Amino acid sequence: MAEGVPADAVGRRVQCDGERATVRYVGEVPPTQGPWLGVEWDEPGRGKHDGSHGGVQYFTCRHPTSGSFVRPQKVSFGVDYLTAVMKRYQGDLEEVMNEEITISRKTIEWKGVGKVLQKQRWEKRLYLSPVNLYVIHLDLTGNLLSSWVTVAAITEQLEELKHLLLCYNRLSPPPEPLSLTHAFTNLCILSLKSCALTWPQVLQCAPMWPHLEELYLDSNNISDLPDNVLQSLTILHLSNNPLDSESLVQIAELSRLEELNLASTGLSTIQFSDVPPGSKTAMFPSLRNLSIADNKVSEWWVINELDKLKSLVRLSCQRNPVMEWGNNPATAIQFLIARVAQLKFLCSCEIQPEERRGAELDYCKMFAAEWLENGGQRDLEKSHPSAEFTTQHPRYETLIQKYGAPEDGELKKQKPFALKNQLLTLTFVCPDEEDRQPVEKKLPGSMIVQKVKGLLYRLLKLPASELRLSYVSSKMEGKEIVINNDLKPLDFFSIEDGDQVLVRWTC
């Protein structure tokens, strides 16, 4: 073995010129003289080849351009955990009492240890100083760790450890995971972002974490999700993985799972085929928070499927094609709210009762004509919409029972998007000032209420004061509806062409 190169160098992690890599080969590379390290870079574009040189395959890589040969003196194999701590604090134990330690990008949080720290001294041995038993949060992100056995050698002496971050490491699975369970007895939160893991590797390691509740696996190489393990999980993040949507059902029996992040995974469909449309699935029974943002969902039937999740109250769905329906995101949001009954938060915004009411009413009006054409009747006892309509709109009959069937004058027809189709002719009236003449104006239904108020200040030459708006529908005489959210579009309040807007203000 070359001087300065550990005997177990193959498989070890190294750093060279600020980049991390894994050693795959140690030896000569003819016709040159002297030892070389064959490394596979974490960043595939950093290398020059796939481990071959001069027609000889010295090692293999996941990517055709992630391999390089470097001289041993150019790389660092890193230092052990205690050396890093000692180098940073140089034995000053008072400095670490009751505080959070940062070693470069590595963070260690100490639980209060009192005067015991004053009685301990740092010792570089094969085991850690007793003071480490009080660590509850350990961040080892971006280090040169290469094995779970190495990680366990640290954590087995941290009896209070609950939160462990190992992001941007490359850890080989242990040959006997159960033998390392004692090293993670109280571990509840584990972050393994960007560790080049596959799901089979996660499953191989799973027996080590008997009490794990939160697992963060963002930006790995996970595609299939076979088998049901990790039954204690309440939070699972899988964003930025190339997931196969059909494999999602494989983790659907995680009975305690409350939060699932599937953002940026390439998903276009999600289907729970154990029950028909309009029913609740037995899958993901506790799931309350779901993110499918930045995916390829383009069909409304996928949104209908989400209504089958009986516990779902939070959803992130932004930047999917379906949310640009008809080039009108505001209408798409209304449709989504109407289709998922129990939703309380959408894209981090709370859904207010009046917002849900407006969304459901507009949804009923938009598809009323189609409902009537497919067997729906205003006499609900005689209403039998076709199976095709019910599949496309599982909640429609429930909403009709809730609000009643729209009258003929309330029916809305879906039109191709064009500005002229979105303009509303509205009459603005100041009921408290009889001398002011009503003003008629054409405005786009997508116009935000706040901008409408700004227009009214100029149009009606109103004094600087707080405006209060409401409207009277041309189809519901005598009923005044308050416009009480400045950040919503006019469409949100179901304002229609020909309605009268009442303008009041407080001086």
Side-chain angles (χ1 to χ4, degrees):
M1 187 64 64
E3 183 178 351
V5 177
D8 61 347
V10 175
R12 288 276 298 273
R13 301 277 290 158
V14 295
Q15 183 167 297
C16 178
D17 296 330
E19 299 281 349
R20 292 183 294 274
T22 302
V23 177
R24 301 299 185 195
Y25 170 80
V26 179
E28 294 189 354
V29 182
T32 62
Q33 300 295 316
W36 291 88
L37 299 182
V39 300
E40 180 180 8
W41 299 101
D42 290 3
E43 178 55 50
R46 174 68 172 79
K48 299 179 178 179
H49 50 71
D50 63 353
S52 61
H53 178 74
V56 178
Q57 191 77 45
Y58 290 91
F59 60 97
T60 58
C61 299
R62 288 195 181 106
H63 301 277
T65 60
S66 60
S68 293
F69 290 103
V70 296
R71 292 295 189 180
Q73 58 267 29
K74 292 192 66 176
V75 308
S76 168
F77 283 86
V79 298
D80 62 71
Y81 172 72
L82 270 185
T83 300
V85 175
M86 293 174 67
K87 183 178 180 180
R88 169 63 177 83
Y89 290 97
Q90 298 178 350
D92 187 359
L93 299 180
E94 292 291 339
E95 188 174 353
V96 302
M97 291 180 63
N98 300 310
E99 67 176 46
E100 187 178 85
I101 301 174
T102 300
I103 305 171
S104 183
R105 292 173 58 196
K106 281 65 73 180
T107 303
I108 307 167
E109 182 184 333
W110 305 91
K111 199 173 180 179
V113 296
K115 295 183 179 180
V116 68
L117 285 173
Q118 300 175 13
K119 299 179 181 179
Q120 302 295 337
R121 62 186 179 87
W122 296 106
E123 297 180 283
K124 186 179 179 182
R125 300 179 182 175
L126 294 178
Y127 60 89
L128 305 184
S129 167
V131 68
N132 285 289
L133 297 177
Y134 294 92
V135 176
I136 60 174
H137 176 105
L138 180 61
D139 187 346
L140 295 173
T141 295
N143 275 288
L144 303 179
L145 298 166
S146 60
S147 167
W148 277 102
V149 174
T150 304
V151 175
I154 298 172
T155 61
E156 66 183 354
Q157 296 173 74
L158 308 180
E159 296 181 358
E160 298 293 327
L161 185 65
K162 298 183 183 299
H163 189 176
L164 177 62
L165 289 87
L166 291 166
C167 310
Y168 298 97
N169 285 286
R170 297 290 186 270
L171 302 169
S172 59
E176 298 181 9
L178 284 173
S179 67
L180 301 180
T181 302
H182 67 283
F184 307 97
T185 303
N186 292 314
L187 188 66
C188 298
I189 305 171
L190 177 61
S191 185
L192 294 168
K193 301 177 182 179
S194 298
C195 289
L197 291 169
T198 63
W199 192 251
Q201 289 174 326
V202 174
L203 296 183
Q204 187 175 345
C205 297
M208 292 189 294
W209 318 313
H211 303 117
L212 197 63
E213 296 178 2
E214 301 180 20
L215 180 58
Y216 299 88
L217 295 169
D218 311 80
S219 303
N220 279 285
N221 296 326
I222 296 171
S223 55
D224 296 323
L225 299 169
D227 301 326
N228 282 300
V229 295
L230 299 167
Q231 289 294 322
S232 59
L233 284 185
T234 59
I235 296 177
L236 176 61
H237 282 208
L238 294 168
S239 68
N240 289 293
N241 280 285
L243 290 184
D244 177 358
S245 59
E246 294 183 1
S247 68
L248 284 179
V249 297
Q250 302 299 328
I251 60 169
E253 294 182 11
L254 294 176
S255 60
R256 296 183 59 196
L257 191 66
E258 297 180 6
E259 180 177 316
L260 179 61
N261 188 340
L262 302 174
S264 300
T265 54
L267 292 178
S268 59
T269 64
I270 299 175
Q271 190 167 14
F272 307 110
S273 55
D274 60 325
V275 292
S279 302
K280 297 300 181 183
T281 178
M283 301 181 189
F284 296 110
S286 301
L287 188 62
R288 296 174 53 82
N289 188 350
L290 174 65
S291 175
I292 55 171
D294 298 291
N295 277 299
K296 301 177 181 179
V297 176
S298 60
E299 302 291 340
W300 283 111
W301 71 262
V302 179
I303 303 301
N304 294 339
E305 289 292 299
L306 301 182
D307 189 52
K308 294 180 179 180
L309 296 168
K310 63 182 180 182
S311 299
L312 185 66
V313 294
R314 287 178 176 265
L315 177 66
S316 294
C317 193
Q318 58 268 41
R319 295 178 295 279
N320 277 277
V322 73
M323 300 309 295
E324 298 295 329
W325 184 87
N327 291 321
N328 194 333
T331 299
I333 289 173
Q334 285 187 307
F335 283 5
L336 191 150
I337 292 172
R339 290 172 184 267
V340 186
Q342 68 276 17
L343 214 56
K344 304 294 184 185
F345 293 85
L346 178 59
C347 303
S348 300
C349 296
E350 186 175 4
I351 302 171
Q352 299 296 334
E354 61 271 18
E355 182 177 7
R356 173 164 291 283
R357 181 180 182 278
E360 292 177 343
L361 281 171
D362 258 18
Y363 179 74
C364 287
K365 295 174 184 178
M366 183 64 75
F367 296 99
E370 185 179 344
W371 172 66
L372 292 171
E373 291 169 2
N374 285 271
Q377 294 192 35
R378 292 189 173 89
D379 184 347
L380 297 183
E381 293 183 359
K382 300 178 180 179
S383 181
H384 300 288
S386 67
E388 181 180 0
F389 181 87
T390 302
T391 298
Q392 293 176 354
H393 305 279
R395 292 201 67 224
Y396 197 85
E397 285 278 295
T398 300
L399 294 178
I400 292 298
Q401 292 174 7
K402 181 177 180 180
Y403 297 109
E407 299 298 327
D408 289 338
E410 296 180 298
L411 302 188
K412 291 185 177 182
K413 292 187 178 180
Q414 299 182 53
K415 302 176 182 179
F417 178 80
L419 181 59
K420 65 180 181 180
N421 291 331
Q422 304 298 311
L423 291 178
L424 304 174
T425 300
L426 303 176
T427 302
F428 293 91
V429 178
C430 303
D432 296 336
E433 294 204 2
E434 297 179 357
D435 294 340
R436 286 184 180 267
Q437 295 297 315
V439 176
E440 189 175 281
K441 194 72 176 175
K442 290 182 180 291
L443 298 178
S446 58
M447 192 171 188
I448 301 300
V449 171
Q450 189 175 49
K451 292 185 178 180
V452 174
K453 288 185 175 181
L455 175 65
L456 289 173
Y457 278 116
R458 299 189 299 273
L459 188 65
L460 301 178
K461 296 181 174 56
L462 297 176
S465 56
E466 182 179 351
L467 286 184
R468 291 176 286 115
L469 302 182
S470 58
Y471 78 95
V472 177
S473 172
S474 58
K475 301 179 180 65
M476 293 185 291
E477 291 187 12
K479 184 173 183 181
E480 185 175 336
I481 301 170
V482 177
I483 302 174
N484 57 2
N485 191 328
D486 286 1
L487 301 180
K488 296 295 183 182
L490 293 172
D491 283 340
F492 170 77
F493 297 94
S494 299
I495 297 178
E496 298 181 346
D497 191 64
D499 286 350
Q500 188 179 81
V501 179
L502 307 180
V503 184
R504 298 181 176 90
W505 60 90
T506 304
C507 296

